Amino acid sequence: MDFFDRFTIPPHDDPMLYASIVAIGLVSIAIVFGVTYFKKWGYLWSEWLTTVDHKRIGIMYIISALLMLFRGGADAVMMRLQTAVPDNSFLDAQHYNEVFTTHGVVMIFFMAMAFIIGMMNFVVPLQIGARDVAFPRLNALSFWLYFAGAMLFNLSFVIGGSPDAGWTNYYPLAGTDFSEHVGVNYYNWALQISGIGTLMTGINFIATIMKMRAPGMTLMKMPMFTWSALITNLIIVFAFPVLTIALLMGTLDRQFFTNFFTTGDGGMDMMWANLFWIWGHPEVYILILPAFGIYSQIIATFSQRNLYGYKSMVASMVIISLLSFMVWVHHFFTMGQGAVANSIFSITTMAIAVPTGIKIFNWLLTMWKGKIRFTTPMMYSVAFIPLFTIGGVTGVMLAIASADYQYHNTMFLVAHFHNVIIPGVVFAMIAGLIYYWPKMFGFLLNERIGKWAFWNIVIGFCLSFFPMYITGLNGQARRMYTYSEASGFGPLSMVSFFGALLLAVGFALIVYNVYYSFRYAPRNVGDDPWNARSLEWATHNPVPEYNFAITPNVNSSEAFWDYKKNGHDLFKGGIKDIHMPNNSGWSIILAGIFFVFAFCFVFHVWVGVIIAFVGIISCLLYRSFEKDDGHHIHKEEIEETEKKFGGAE
């Protein structure tokens, strides 16, 4: 391959692709021009790009997740358009392979993970009464490694070609025999970089929750979202190293001619499937458990009742986390491991439905006899319960190993997966964003526009995915870019396409809601606009840098409710100087060098790899010898801030 040929845009020539590249270039130029024109580079660098504040890092994660949601959503609409009618030629086979591959990767790794980690960043330190996370600079590095991985993966769209072996990247399809261009190299390196950042997040939040809780907050007095975050990060620490090593082995196969996953020379392609799903099924619960925590906070708040069955909720999450590592084989019942193995994993898969069912009843009993307020976050939470239950029931159907021979690799499986992830994670993402919006920005999003978006999204979801259950049972295979008119899949596939359009309208309304509320929403909403129950609502909207002027003293999982209704003395003592970490450009610089390292590795530019590797080591050495004692916010400055907000609570 000629040196410059490797940087072209194989393996297909599509006018849409070139139009998209031009659009990306024009938007990028417009952003740079706008920031320069309004002289905001200094502000961005000092306040955001170099921040170590957990709240701003959380907001950057969430903004990135929303961008990736629209990136992956565009892929989804293209897929539904391509399959809306028989024998469609909107996308050719190669382009369709790339689209469904990037859709899955973007939505799982760069949208859902980013939102969940962003929400943990913003909420958990506030819920436990901490000033920040245990390792603020490591937290910033985690974000920038995630962002570097996301940008590297999306760069494949412009330079070299996107991966085309599916989001699961199965071998031998992902090997050089069937994926000759560099798309899978992008996949391997982008996920390794972002995965390292996620692993750092897991370690950071375990340390934060275990060591930095407010006085009086024992483990069994933590809010439910914090419990879900703790268990999620324990899963991350055990699961993500498996993915990282599997990706490294795949990289060695593709770029250094080893034979871990090859079909010859002692390799075993099924080893990739096992390693991927040993990570992959716990990953489902890495996404779902924090969503359960968000729903628990919202349902208790808007039912105006304490969460029913607190201990059983905690126990069910612990059981789910353990069982999540015991079910991975159900992803390939049809791949020949035998009846005994299939039976064992079929039983464990069904068993995991039990603790999940317990949580459903906990939420229902929390609402029972409650004084429910149907705000937009509550509407998403209520809609989640029946829709997620349908996804769970179809999951039990898929857990029957013998029946799975009928369901596997059909649209039934696609419908099931989305029936779990969209109500389970995406609805929680929207509900949590609306719920915590005033805590982030100091004003509420418009309820009327929010409910318009809700109905479009819920109806669009049902129209998009429920028809797939029927076509899947009738034999429509997933990952097929077209089908014949004689198959009879056309009418229901068209319904799915219209559902996808309604989903797009719903998400567009959310964007419009942000714009409208930013311009017209009142700013005097107070510090507790929802009449909430947990500790994060005991500080101001938006939250000051130091979170709490006085460290709170906690006596229950609903400390703020006890403070408001039962006279609990939440803030004891007086205001003192507060020590906080300094901002640092080290994290973004190191992540940028990681980006260059990986990009050069993708294209075998070994000089660049060596230079970037030296840069990485230099950054680590610099940090090892750097002396940075942080800074103090003095009592007088805190008192002035509290006076502006209305005084310490």
Side-chain angles (χ1 to χ4, degrees), residues 588-601:
I588 188 173
I589 292 169
L590 179 56
I593 298 173
F594 262 103
F595 178 92
V596 173
F597 174 82
F599 179 80
C600 292
F601 228 121

Side-chain angles (χ1 to χ4, degrees), residues 316 319-320 323 349-361 396:
S316 65
I319 294 168
I320 286 170
L323 288 175
T349 301
M350 293 181 190
I352 208 167
V354 176
T356 307
I358 289 171
K359 303 176 84 61
I360 296 291
F361 283 105
V396 173

Side-chain angles (χ1 to χ4, degrees), residues 415-487:
H416 155 73
F417 182 73
H418 288 83
N419 212 154
V420 170
I421 294 299
I422 292 180
V425 180
V426 178
F427 283 17
M429 181 180 93
I430 301 168
L433 182 64
I434 297 168
Y435 183 65
Y436 285 110
W437 188 272
K439 190 59 58 182
M440 296 177 184
F441 302 108
F443 62 93
L444 290 163
L445 292 176
N446 183 274
E447 278 286 292
R448 181 168 55 93
I449 302 173
K451 289 175 181 176
W452 290 351
F454 165 80
W455 286 113
N456 275 276
I457 288 171
V458 170
I459 295 170
F461 164 77
C462 294
L463 290 176
S464 287
F465 296 103
F466 285 3
M468 294 181 192
Y469 284 121
I470 300 170
T471 60
L473 288 175
N474 286 334
Q476 186 179 17
R478 60 175 173 166
R479 300 172 180 160
M480 300 297 289
Y481 86 104
T482 191
Y483 54 89
S484 69
E485 187 174 356
S487 65

